[in-house]
Structure formats: C-alpha cells, structure tokens
Amino acid sequence: MSFADHIRACNNYERGRVVPLVAGGRRIGRLRRDNAAALSRFARVFAVEPERVRLVAAGDADTVSAAVDEVVEALVVERQVPKWRNETFDVMARWGEPPLFRLDRGAVPFFGVRAYGVHLNGYRFDGGRLHLWIGRRAPDKRIAPDKLDNIVAGGIGNGHGVVATLYKEAEEEGGIPAALVERAQPVGAVSYLMETELGIRDDVLFVYDLELPADFTPKNSDGEIVHFELMPADEVVERVRATDDFKFNVNLVILDFAMRHGLIPVDDPEYLDVATGLCRPLD
Amino acid sequence: MSFADHIRACNNYERGRVVPLVAGGRRIGRLRRDNAAALSRFARVFAVEPERVRLVAAGDADTVSAAVDEVVEALVVERQVPKWRNETFDVMARWGEPPLFRLDRGAVPFFGVRAYGVHLNGYRFDGGRLHLWIGRRAPDKRIAPDKLDNIVAGGIGNGHGVVATLYKEAEEEGGIPAALVERAQPVGAVSYLMETELGIRDDVLFVYDLELPADFTPKNSDGEIVHFELMPADEVVERVRATDDFKFNVNLVILDFAMRHGLIPVDDPEYLDVATGLCRPLD
C-alpha cells in the first residue's frame, strides 16, 4: 500500500467507459455505457443516443423528479439500483444552481451525478503532539462498514447547504454542539472521479478543520459510528499509508489534512503525488 | 477579474498545440508545434517526428547537457530563446529521479520541461488579524516586473533540493535567518500548465507557510524585491480577486493560503473553483 494507491483507487475513472448525461445542453452526470443502455426503455424520460443520454422529461423540479423516480423504481425492481428511500440529492450542472430534479441517493452513482459531502477533521494537541479524532463506522453501513472515518462526515441532501449539513452531522454523528462547530474552518475540498460496481462516483467533499478542546469527547447518536478514538496524527497518516483500514475517500481527506498541517515532509517520495492528487479539477 | 480568471490564466494549456518531448520512452517536456519544428535542424540531438520529438543525444548528463546547449545557443542567436546564462534547471521525467541533463532556465519553457520552485507565505497575527508579508518585484525582473510577490519565491536550480532552495532564497530574498526558516511548514504544492509566448510552463511550486515574529522585518539583499509590506490577509485576497497586481502564479499561491486558512467562506461563488483549481494533477 502507498498514499498513491488510495488516490488511484478514488480516481480509476476512464472517460471511454462513460457517456455524458445532459440536460439543456449541459452535462449533469456520467453514465457507464451499460447503465446508459438500460435507460433506452424509458424514452419519455431519457433519450439514449450513441454518445450521450439526454434528459427529456420536462417541467419543474417536482415533475422531473417524479418522472426520474419512476425509472429508478423500475431499476430497483431489476436490482440495478439499490434505492435508499430516505435521502435524495439535488441534481444540477454546477454547485449553487437551482436543482433540475432530486434523485434518490442510491441512484446517484448509476447516473454519475456529482454528489457533495462535508467532512470534518476534529483535532487537538495533546502534549504538543497533534491528534485526530477517528470514528469506526457501524457494521451495518451500506458503504464501507467497519472502516475508520473522520469524526463527522455526511452527504449534502436535497435542499441542505454545506453549513447546515455540517451542523446537523456534527451533532448527530459526533455530538459536537453548535457552539463548538461555529469555530470550524472551511479549508478546501477533496474531489475525485471513481468507477464502482454501481456506476460513477463524481464526488466533491467540502473539508473543515476543527480544533476540539481537551474536555470534549465525541458521542454518536445516529448509530452510524460505533466507537471514537483519539489517535496521534502521525500514526493516522502511517496507517493510511500502510493499510486499507479507512473508508476509501477518508484516506484522501486525511492526506489533505496531513499535507496542510506539515505532517508529510517534502522528501517523502510521494509528496507531490499527495500534494497534486487530492483535488481533481472539476469540468 | 475573479479568482477563476487567475486560475484560468495559469491553465490555458491546450493539448492539441503541443507534442511530447520524450527520452527513453518517457515524456520529459512538451513542445509547442512551432518550437518542435524549429528543432528539426538539430538531428544529432533531437529527432522530430510528426507527433513527438525524441531526445537522441546519448551519454551522461554532462555530455547530453553540452549537446542540448549547442541547440540552445543556436536558438538564442535566432532570438527564439532568451538565455539566462546564470541558472540551469535539472531535466528528468519525474521529480526525485537523477537528471538526464541540465537546461538553461531561459530555455525551459521552449522545451516545456517541468520546472520546480519554492514559495513561502510569511504571515503573522497582528491584533488577532492575519497578515501576510508581500514583496514588490524589482522593475528589471525579466518576468513580471513590478508585480507583487510572496516574501520568498525562487526556482529550484540544478543540483539543489527543495529545502536548500528554501533556505537560500529565504536569506537572499527576505533576509530570513535559518533559525526562523526551520520553523517553516511544508503545506503542499501549487501546479499549473500554461502556454506563454516562449512555450509551455509546466510548473510545480512547493509551498511553505511560516509564522513570523512581530519583531521581524524582511530585508532583500539580492535586488529582486524592492519593497516589503505587511498587509491584512483578507485585503490581499480581495486584491487578488479584483486586480492583476500580483505575479500570475503568486495569485494561485495566495489563494491556496487563503483556502487553507479559512479566509474564503464556503458560500463564495468561486469556492469550488479555488478549492479544486490550484493543484493540477501531474501526468
């Protein structure tokens, strides 16, 4: 294992394997060719062309969402999509624009729609040594069960903003009160483009750092994290390098933290792989 | 002007306008097609093929450097290359490998060889407000005369490492003593791919942050900076957004600093442009 292995795993996307999903002439997703072909039966919603798929369902966000959802239901029956039923993501060409429709979270990789999340690095200095609060994901999580995670991480559901998601997840996942969360600093984003069994993950993670006081201990209340541990940050970084213990994208968030906090020396043979590998330019 | 304008200016590279310069089957540079054509006369050194140029001069680094330098001298006579004569850069396919040859700094963009530099953000908190030391470049600089700059910045010349360049430039350019420089933290890299009049700049800047004490004032001794000013960091960021006052690549280094230090709020419409636009993945 190496730092670059984790970066490569999250960036295994190959352009030739997908066609764009377009709406109004702009790309809103990336469909693996087998997924694109599976949409040809739904001609009232999608027009499948050789080198692209067009969203043809028209109307306001509610109308288009309902039309797309009928397609998703059919794909769920065929077990091509694992529907979550409790969370939808907004779909738009660019962050900040009004959503064209809402999509069940389980169907997001099928359509290769860009998904946004928030990750918080919770840290503190203990005896002058930088430490990170690390959580262990519950064994019943759909994605990456039992893997290690940031103290707070979550997807940005429809209608929620970055900051609202940060506060909500900080409280539910880590028991961090709002008075502490407001000290969190936005420090950038991690982005990657990854093919999985289900399709394409085009993910953008808004990253925050928060220095936590010595008397704070995180406490999970939504059942998503079973255990928290305060680990020396340099040991976290070496564990990222040597193992697959962390959730795939958490490796990248921790490497970003490590880079920004001077934990990776310039003579590390992977220094430039890490420094230039964590924020794939959005196109 | 906008943040994204500065990022675009440094990433105006178009793949179709260049051919790779290869050695031993690996790319070591990118030649604009007109520059590639100009090399066809030097068949003992370069083999110009339709879609690539091969380095054919063989031997140790000294031998190849001498052969390439003859070509550079001829191009200088024709005013295709502005030779610097006082500084050479190492040429290799990947940072950390032994150099294949040394190249006059003035010829680096002609061949589109990747160039490495070091930039230091010198900052301090004054009355709780983050400030940055900003220098003004001398009016006789070849590149970006009179523009604003980081407190310390310099190219990594042949045989020098990142750390050695940092100490050398910190002393010459900013008068920062070694005892202070050793507190500097490596915090990542800024990378971009830019076409200029001369050719292609494939630049990687190792970025350091250094918190400077209140009783320190920078002092230039190499004539490259005429004046230093301690500016509130938020005003520096707005000046980057609104003007062309800073050297082209310094805009990117400052945006990286601003992002890492929480100076750009997540609701800034350009937040993701900045967060994902400063470190072009190396290929």
Side-chain angles (χ1 to χ4, degrees):
Chain A
M1 296 257 37
S2 68
F3 295 152
D5 285 337
H6 296 299
I7 295 170
R8 265 192 296 271
C10 289
N11 289 281
N12 65 343
Y13 170 79
E14 290 175 36
R15 186 184 292 265
R17 291 173 57 79
V18 306
V19 296
L21 171 64
V22 299
R26 299 171 72 200
R27 195 193 64 226
I28 57 168
R30 305 168 195 260
L31 283 153
R32 206 167 52 197
R33 289 176 186 272
D34 55 332
N35 290 350
L39 294 177
S40 51
R41 287 168 294 148
F42 307 102
R44 283 192 319 115
V45 187
F46 296 105
V48 178
E49 300 170 1
E51 290 303 320
R52 65 176 185 172
V53 174
R54 278 187 301 118
L55 175 73
V56 292
D60 63 13
D62 287 343
T63 310
V64 177
S65 299
V68 172
D69 204 50
E70 275 186 44
V71 174
V72 171
E73 288 290 355
L75 294 169
V76 168
V77 169
E78 296 168 2
R79 296 176 178 272
Q80 297 212 53
V81 166
K83 202 175 183 188
W84 287 34
R85 298 188 193 282
N86 59 349
E87 203 172 348
T88 56
F89 278 12
D90 284 329
V91 179
M92 57 265 166
R94 188 182 150 93
W95 179 249
E97 294 180 357
L100 300 172
F101 62 97
R102 299 176 297 278
L103 183 62
D104 186 278
R105 183 168 179 177
V108 166
F110 183 92
F111 292 97
V113 155
R114 188 166 289 159
Y116 300 87
V118 178
H119 281 241
L120 174 75
N121 297 295
Y123 70 95
R124 83 171 199 233
F125 287 92
D126 228 25
R129 192 176 180 193
L130 186 57
H131 286 64
L132 275 168
W133 277 108
I134 298 296
R136 182 172 292 278
R137 296 165 66 84
D140 60 353
K141 292 280 281 183
R142 285 171 190 267
I143 296 169
D146 291 317
K147 293 283 187 183
L148 300 179
D149 204 339
N150 294 112
I151 186 172
V152 173
I156 302 180
N158 82 280
H160 295 285
V162 180
V163 174
T165 302
L166 172 67
Y167 276 81
K168 175 176 165 288
E169 294 286 341
E171 193 195 331
E172 292 176 4
E173 226 173 88
I176 309 178
L180 277 180
V181 180
E182 70 183 14
R183 298 185 207 160
Q185 279 204 333
V187 288
V190 161
S191 53
Y192 53 88
L193 203 43
M194 180 183 193
E195 183 174 337
T196 70
E197 261 184 84
L198 301 172
I200 305 294
R201 290 186 69 123
D202 182 358
D203 288 352
V204 175
L205 311 176
F206 290 89
V207 179
Y208 283 81
D209 280 1
L210 174 58
E211 184 167 2
L212 288 161
D215 61 2
F216 172 81
T217 302
K219 202 173 130 177
N220 180 265
S221 63
D222 63 5
E224 299 197 359
I225 297 285
V226 291
H227 173 71
F228 287 105
E229 192 178 344
L230 186 67
M231 294 170 59
D234 54 353
E235 290 178 13
V236 171
V237 174
E238 281 314 307
R239 194 152 167 186
V240 165
R241 193 197 306 257
T243 75
D244 254 331
D245 292 347
F246 289 85
K247 186 188 166 201
F248 58 97
N249 55 9
V250 174
N251 290 298
L252 273 52
V253 175
I254 287 172
L255 286 174
D256 172 67
F257 178 88
M259 189 51 82
R260 289 184 290 99
H261 289 265
L263 298 176
I264 304 182
V266 284
D267 60 358
D268 189 299
E270 296 196 87
Y271 187 86
L272 287 182
D273 297 304
V274 176
T276 65
L278 305 177
C279 50
R280 191 192 146 273
L282 306 182
D283 54 7
Chain B
M1 296 263 25
S2 68
F3 294 152
D5 285 337
H6 296 300
I7 295 170
R8 267 192 295 270
C10 291
N11 288 280
N12 65 344
Y13 169 79
E14 290 175 35
R15 187 184 292 265
R17 292 172 57 78
V18 307
V19 295
L21 171 63
V22 299
R26 299 171 73 199
R27 195 193 63 225
I28 57 169
R30 304 169 196 261
L31 283 153
R32 207 168 51 200
R33 288 174 188 273
D34 56 330
N35 290 350
L39 294 178
S40 52
R41 289 168 293 148
F42 308 102
R44 282 193 319 116
V45 186
F46 295 106
V48 178
E49 300 169 2
E51 289 303 322
R52 66 175 186 173
V53 174
R54 278 187 302 116
L55 175 73
V56 292
D60 62 16
D62 286 342
T63 309
V64 176
S65 299
V68 172
D69 204 50
E70 275 185 46
V71 174
V72 171
E73 287 289 355
L75 294 169
V76 168
V77 169
E78 296 168 5
R79 295 175 177 273
Q80 298 213 52
V81 166
K83 201 175 184 188
W84 286 35
R85 297 188 193 281
N86 61 350
E87 204 172 347
T88 56
F89 278 12
D90 285 330
V91 179
M92 57 265 165
R94 188 182 149 91
W95 177 250
E97 294 181 356
L100 300 171
F101 61 97
R102 299 175 298 277
L103 183 63
D104 186 277
R105 184 168 178 177
V108 165
F110 183 93
F111 292 97
V113 156
R114 187 164 290 157
Y116 300 87
V118 177
H119 281 240
L120 175 75
N121 298 294
Y123 70 96
R124 82 172 197 230
F125 288 92
D126 229 24
R129 193 175 180 196
L130 186 57
H131 286 64
L132 275 168
W133 277 108
I134 298 294
R136 183 171 292 278
R137 295 164 68 84
D140 60 353
K141 292 280 282 184
R142 287 170 188 266
I143 297 169
D146 292 317
K147 294 283 186 183
L148 299 179
D149 204 341
N150 294 111
I151 186 172
V152 172
I156 301 180
N158 83 278
H160 295 283
V162 180
V163 175
T165 302
L166 172 68
Y167 277 82
K168 175 176 164 289
E169 295 287 340
E171 192 194 332
E172 292 175 5
E173 226 173 90
I176 309 177
L180 277 178
V181 180
E182 71 182 14
R183 298 185 207 160
Q185 278 204 333
V187 288
V190 161
S191 52
Y192 53 89
L193 204 42
M194 181 184 194
E195 183 174 336
T196 71
E197 263 184 84
L198 301 172
I200 304 294
R201 290 186 69 124
D202 182 357
D203 288 352
V204 175
L205 311 177
F206 290 89
V207 179
Y208 282 80
D209 280 2
L210 174 59
E211 184 168 2
L212 289 161
D215 61 2
F216 172 81
T217 302
K219 204 173 128 178
N220 180 267
S221 61
D222 63 5
E224 300 197 0
I225 298 286
V226 290
H227 175 70
F228 286 104
E229 192 179 343
L230 187 68
M231 295 171 58
D234 52 354
E235 291 178 13
V236 171
V237 173
E238 281 314 307
R239 194 153 169 185
V240 165
R241 194 199 302 260
T243 76
D244 254 331
D245 293 346
F246 289 85
K247 186 187 166 201
F248 59 97
N249 56 9
V250 173
N251 289 298
L252 273 52
V253 176
I254 287 172
L255 286 174
D256 171 69
F257 179 87
M259 191 49 84
R260 289 184 291 100
H261 288 264
L263 298 175
I264 305 182
V266 285
D267 59 359
D268 190 298
E270 297 196 86
Y271 187 87
L272 287 183
D273 296 305
V274 176
T276 65
L278 305 176
C279 51
R280 190 190 147 273
L282 306 182
D283 54 4

